[in-house]
Amino acid sequence: MASKAILPFFSFTIFLLLLPLLFHSVLAHSKDGKPSPFEYLQHLQGCHKGEHVKDLHKLKKYLHNYGYLSNYDNSKTHANDDDFDEFLESAIKTYQLNYHLKPTGTLDAKTVSKMMSPRCSVADIINGTTGMVSGKKRQGSKSVHRVSHYAFFPQEPKWPASKFDLTYAFLPGTRVDAIGPVGRAFQAWAANTHFRFTWIGDYVNSDIKISFESGDHGDGDPFDGTQLAHAFAPTDGRFHYDASWNWSVNVTAGSYHLETIALHEIGHLLGLHHSSVEGSIMYPSFKPGESKGLHADDVQGIKALYNF
Ligand SMILES: *[C@@H]1O[C@H](CO)[C@@H](O)[C@H](O)[C@H]1NC(C)=O
Ligand SMILES: *[C@@H]1O[C@H](CO)[C@@H](O)[C@H](O)[C@H]1NC(C)=O
Ligand SMILES: *[C@@H]1O[C@H](CO)[C@@H](O)[C@H](O)[C@H]1NC(C)=O
Ligand SMILES: [Zn+2]
Ligand SMILES: [Zn+2]
């Protein structure tokens, strides 16, 4: 008798105990039920050197992904632990400088908010070369004054002078509504360069190959849910959108603009790296519903790379 009365009471107590867990898991998931890949960043807001906080290793992975923790030798234990050490502080400062944030070295609200913006998955720093604030060399100045502008990939890969007539093709089966926006993006670059771009049906033999991919798609740069697209430096020619986002032909709230992202990725295909000029198309992060065109910084960059 007694056990029968206790059982409902017991279940209710367990329910009460589980309630916060349940609530937390609802909060940590977006509307479509998928876990938010940025959730950990919000919990890390405010942390600084000397602290040991759960999930800091995810922040290290994020920064490492974009080239900010290249000093970490993966064999050292610190790369995968939750210790906020001086390497992490220094990496955050570099990130903040690249994005024109105050270089505090702590994970302040503005830094978290910038990191939560979906972005291009091409690293900001490749082999220790940061495109984003390395304007000093190009300006021919020895001063510490930072000039932010366009950048090139290390070793400045580009298409040979004879190869200005480039063909592009979509992976067979690609959503047809991408053809118009991608074509307009190529025309915008053509209008500002010596390049000509021709859409062909022959995917295998085209110079530029466009497709929608998701997750790990075999090119060594899996999409992790925080990235919109990527493209490879000359003369590779591969340009991948992450199929898991809502993409739109026209500017639409809550969706990403196919043409805007194509302008950015074509910049990579032609040899531009990321720029810290926020208005430029080569700035790495994007907001939903945002549309951008080519900026003077982008046009100056491509002119400088190809000397015209
Ligand atoms: C980075 O440097 C390594 C070793 O010097 C080299 O093999 C690799 O191709 C470089 N990567 C890029 C993207 O320049
Ligand atoms: C795409 O849009 C739908 C409907 O507007 C929305 O429910 C869903 O969360 C969006 N998905 C992504 C990945 O943004
Ligand atoms: C985009 O806008 C244009 C011009 O307003 C319109 O003709 C077209 O149907 C729209 N496309 C989509 C997919 O909504
Ligand atoms: Zn990019
Ligand atoms: Zn890819």
Side-chain angles (χ1 to χ4, degrees):
M1 287 289 270
S3 67
K4 267 188 191 163
I6 282 166
L7 198 61
F9 172 76
F10 199 62
S11 313
F12 184 67
T13 310
I14 289 185
F15 173 73
L16 280 183
L17 285 171
L18 287 177
L19 204 57
L21 279 175
L22 201 66
F23 188 57
H24 183 262
S25 82
V26 167
L27 269 184
H29 289 69
S30 52
K31 267 178 292 181
D32 53 7
K34 283 189 293 187
S36 158
F38 293 125
E39 187 65 18
Y40 75 94
L41 276 171
Q42 278 170 318
H43 295 302
L44 291 177
Q45 187 170 315
C47 67
H48 52 80
K49 191 166 79 178
E51 286 186 313
H52 179 94
V53 188
K54 180 180 169 286
D55 286 346
L56 260 180
H57 67 279
K58 291 187 184 170
L59 173 67
K60 291 183 181 182
K61 186 166 179 288
Y62 178 95
L63 287 165
H64 185 265
N65 227 357
Y66 298 114
Y68 290 93
L69 270 172
S70 54
N71 287 343
Y72 264 133
D73 177 346
N74 273 334
S75 64
K76 286 182 192 152
T77 53
H78 286 300
N80 301 311
D81 68 18
D82 288 334
D83 287 337
F84 200 128
D85 58 18
E86 68 271 27
F87 297 111
L88 181 57
E89 182 182 56
S90 153
I92 291 173
K93 278 186 187 167
T94 307
Y95 178 89
Q96 290 166 330
L97 285 171
N98 276 357
Y99 288 86
H100 299 300
L101 300 165
K102 207 170 157 211
T104 57
T106 67
L107 207 60
D108 51 52
K110 283 186 174 156
T111 306
V112 166
S113 156
K114 182 55 74 180
M115 286 178 175
M116 287 177 72
S117 286
R119 54 165 293 156
C120 168
S121 88
V122 172
D124 297 337
I125 303 173
I126 298 172
N127 272 357
T129 306
T130 172
M132 298 180 73
V133 288
S134 68
K136 288 173 283 180
K137 189 187 84 186
R138 288 261 148 200
Q139 294 293 305
S141 158
K142 286 197 173 69
S143 79
V144 289
H145 179 67
R146 288 176 191 278
V147 182
S148 23
H149 62 62
Y150 60 81
F152 310 134
F153 289 102
Q155 282 99 51
E156 308 188 0
K158 56 182 176 179
W159 295 86
S162 59
K163 191 90 180 134
F164 56 87
D165 214 345
L166 300 175
T167 55
Y168 67 92
F170 296 88
L171 180 72
T174 297
R175 50 188 290 174
V176 289
D177 66 350
I179 296 169
V182 169
R184 287 192 289 278
F186 275 118
Q187 289 327 305
W189 278 108
N192 286 283
T193 60
H194 61 299
F195 287 106
R196 281 190 312 186
F197 302 99
T198 310
W199 174 31
I200 61 167
D202 184 356
Y203 183 75
V204 172
N205 293 306
S206 65
D207 298 310
I208 293 166
K209 301 180 204 301
I210 303 151
S211 58
F212 284 75
E213 306 287 348
S214 49
D216 188 347
H217 51 285
D219 61 9
D221 195 2
F223 287 130
D224 69 1
T226 68
Q227 303 153 336
L228 297 165
H230 57 218
F232 293 77
T235 52
D236 184 288
R238 281 173 296 170
F239 163 6
H240 300 153
Y241 284 104
D242 183 345
S244 54
W245 296 93
N246 287 325
W247 293 103
S248 67
V249 173
N250 292 330
V251 178
T252 311
S255 289
Y256 287 89
H257 193 224
L258 284 161
E259 185 176 339
T260 297
I261 304 302
L263 281 170
H264 178 96
E265 302 306 335
I266 295 166
H268 287 317
L269 294 172
L270 298 180
L272 290 180
H273 194 189
H274 288 149
S275 171
S276 61
V277 175
E278 195 156 2
S280 75
I281 200 69
M282 295 316 292
Y283 188 76
S285 71
F286 296 90
K287 300 173 196 75
E290 179 181 35
S291 82
K292 273 170 141 180
L294 293 186
H295 182 279
D297 182 62
D298 305 305
V299 176
Q300 282 161 17
I302 204 75
K303 286 191 166 159
L305 182 59
Y306 288 94
N307 297 308
F308 61 88

